[in-house]
Amino acid sequence: MTVCIAARCQDVLVLASDRMLTAGDIQFEPQTEKITLLTSSIAVMASGDASFHTEIITDVHRAMYDRIKLDPQNWWTVKDVVDLYIRFRNEAKRKRAEAAILAPLRLDGQSFLTAQNSMDSGLVETIARDLISFEVPTVNLIFAGVDRDD
């Protein structure tokens, strides 16, 4: 079980977590921490599937870095970062769903949209339902930060 705690007192954040990872019956403490500092004022703590979270947070970091490089005065808010994480999580889900459901049919998202008018309506409904309900690994998050307007 992962323990993540966040507390804020005015402009000070206090974050704490364990470092234990569990894989089946094996528990170990890697050098990797469960707290990721995203900016000087925003951090995220994660539990659940570490590889899925790493896939998403890598994209989040890249997008944040690109915006900071282009416009360093455009301050990131906690909501901005959460929205970005959700966008990349949904993109990761879409890619995995397309690979699992559409690729065996020699389709991708665009070709499915194009071909669905000529496909059996029951098949289209089944594929659409499977794409929407496709399950990805669980990641639990706490985003903590101090925004300029707080």
Side-chain angles (χ1 to χ4, degrees):
M1 172 177 37
T2 294
V3 176
C4 293
I5 301 168
R8 177 178 160 196
C9 180
Q10 297 176 350
D11 289 346
V12 176
L13 292 175
V14 178
L15 308 174
S17 78
D18 67 336
R19 291 180 29 181
M20 187 71 64
L21 290 181
T22 304
D25 292 340
I26 301 169
Q27 293 184 338
F28 58 100
E29 285 192 32
Q31 294 301 315
T32 307
E33 296 184 10
K34 295 178 183 178
I35 300 172
T36 304
L37 190 61
L38 299 171
T39 70
S40 60
S41 63
I42 301 173
V44 61
M45 295 183 286
S47 69
D49 192 294
S51 63
F52 189 55
H53 171 68
T54 300
E55 176 184 339
I56 298 164
I57 206 69
T58 299
D59 291 337
V60 169
H61 268 201
R62 188 176 304 112
M64 291 178 70
Y65 175 80
D66 290 347
R67 188 177 106 180
I68 290 169
K69 190 174 177 182
L70 289 173
D71 188 5
Q73 301 307 314
N74 190 356
W75 190 264
W76 281 95
T77 66
V78 176
K79 182 184 182 318
D80 291 338
V81 176
V82 170
D83 290 345
L84 193 60
Y85 192 97
I86 291 168
R87 184 179 112 206
F88 285 117
R89 183 233 179 245
N90 289 340
E91 188 174 310
K93 176 183 175 177
R94 179 192 53 77
K95 287 178 186 176
R96 287 175 181 215
E98 285 183 10
I101 298 164
L102 297 178
L105 302 172
R106 294 185 173 168
L107 296 170
D108 60 18
Q110 187 58 49
S111 61
F112 172 65
L113 291 174
T114 302
Q116 65 182 326
N117 290 333
S118 62
M119 296 171 72
D120 176 74
S121 62
L123 179 60
V124 171
E125 285 181 34
T126 299
I127 292 172
R129 184 177 47 251
D130 290 350
L131 289 170
I132 291 167
S133 64
F134 187 82
E135 293 198 22
V136 292
T138 300
V139 178
N140 303 294
L141 306 165
I142 296 175
F143 285 89
V146 177
D147 291 339
R148 282 188 171 176
D149 296 336
D150 284 352

